[in-house]
């Protein structure tokens, strides 16, 4: 299985450690195409000098090849919202995870979208259980 993990980059990196923990769990199910989203030093590395267009086109190619999208949507990110919309358009399975203690009111365009599974959680243990249940 190929998993596309989406999490905020320019939207704010406060949750990067959590992203990596989720990615580590997702690896048990297959290849995570976007491990860099959980990489703390991504901003310093500057994604190996790729232009915004190169990043967009490469990520879209990965997204189209994925069987599943898992998005951590606690931190509002334009890029993550865009990726979710594109994944919906291509009828991908989409699981969105968010922490109500940080974001009590998730965007209606995510919370109210058809064909997206949206699950609140608080700890990494909760997230692991939700992912296992979803993929059972
Ligand atoms: O709007 P955002 O930057 O928060 O969007 C984050 C989402 O877009 C993630 O789920 C990624 O899949 C994708 N994305 C955005 N920027 C990048 C990137 N480098 N590399 C890979 N994927 C990206 C950004 C430049 C970096 C040096 C800060």
């Amino acid at each position: 299985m190929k998993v596309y993990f989406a999490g905020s980059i320019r939207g704010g990196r406060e949750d990067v450690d959590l992203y990596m923990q989720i990615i580590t769990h997702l690896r048990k199910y297959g290849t995570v195409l976007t491990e860099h989203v959980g990489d703390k030093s991504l901003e310093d590395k500057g994604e190996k000098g790729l232009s915004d267009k190169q990043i967009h086109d490469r990520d879209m190619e990965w997204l189209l090849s994925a069987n599943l999208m898992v998005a951590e949507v606690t931190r509002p990110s334009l890029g993550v919202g865009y990726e979710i919309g594109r994944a919906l358009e291509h009828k991908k399975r989409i699981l969105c995870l968010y922490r109500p203690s940080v974001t009590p009111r998730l965007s209606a365009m995510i919370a109210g979208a058809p064909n997206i599974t949206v699950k609140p959680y608080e700890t990494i243990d909760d997230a692991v259980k939700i992912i296992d249940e979803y993929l059972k």
Side-chain angles (χ1 to χ4, degrees):
M1 183 162 69
K2 288 188 198 170
V3 185
Y4 191 101
F5 177 81
S8 170
I9 295 180
R10 290 185 189 162
R13 297 294 274 162
E14 295 89 338
D15 288 342
V16 65
D17 292 336
L18 191 50
Y19 299 160
M20 189 40 97
Q21 288 174 301
I22 294 173
I23 289 166
T24 301
H25 185 63
L26 287 171
R27 276 201 205 115
K28 293 181 184 146
Y29 290 96
T31 306
V32 180
L33 301 169
T34 51
E35 289 189 352
H36 50 268
V37 175
D39 181 350
K40 258 187 166 166
S41 61
L42 178 67
E43 288 89 340
D44 306 331
K45 284 189 210 148
E47 270 285 292
K48 300 188 200 95
L50 294 181
S51 68
D52 286 350
K53 179 171 167 43
Q54 286 168 324
I55 291 168
H56 171 276
D57 293 353
R58 181 200 58 184
D59 284 6
M60 271 309 112
E61 214 169 281
W62 280 338
L63 189 148
L64 295 183
S65 76
N67 316 98
L68 166 72
M69 167 182 280
V70 176
E72 213 294 349
V73 295
T74 303
R75 306 280 167 195
S77 151
L78 283 173
V80 173
Y82 172 83
E83 290 171 332
I84 292 169
R86 296 300 306 269
L88 258 183
E89 180 191 344
H90 289 278
K91 304 195 181 345
K92 303 292 178 186
R93 293 182 75 192
I94 306 170
L95 172 64
C96 288
L97 302 169
Y98 79 105
R99 304 196 312 292
S101 61
V102 179
T103 303
R105 302 187 74 207
L106 184 63
S107 166
M109 298 311 282
I110 302 301
N115 305 322
I116 299 183
T117 302
V118 179
K119 296 279 185 194
Y121 77 103
E122 291 300 339
T123 65
I124 182 63
D125 290 348
D126 295 344
V128 161
K129 278 186 209 137
I130 290 166
I131 290 165
D132 290 346
E133 184 64 28
Y134 183 79
L135 292 175
K136 212 161 60 182

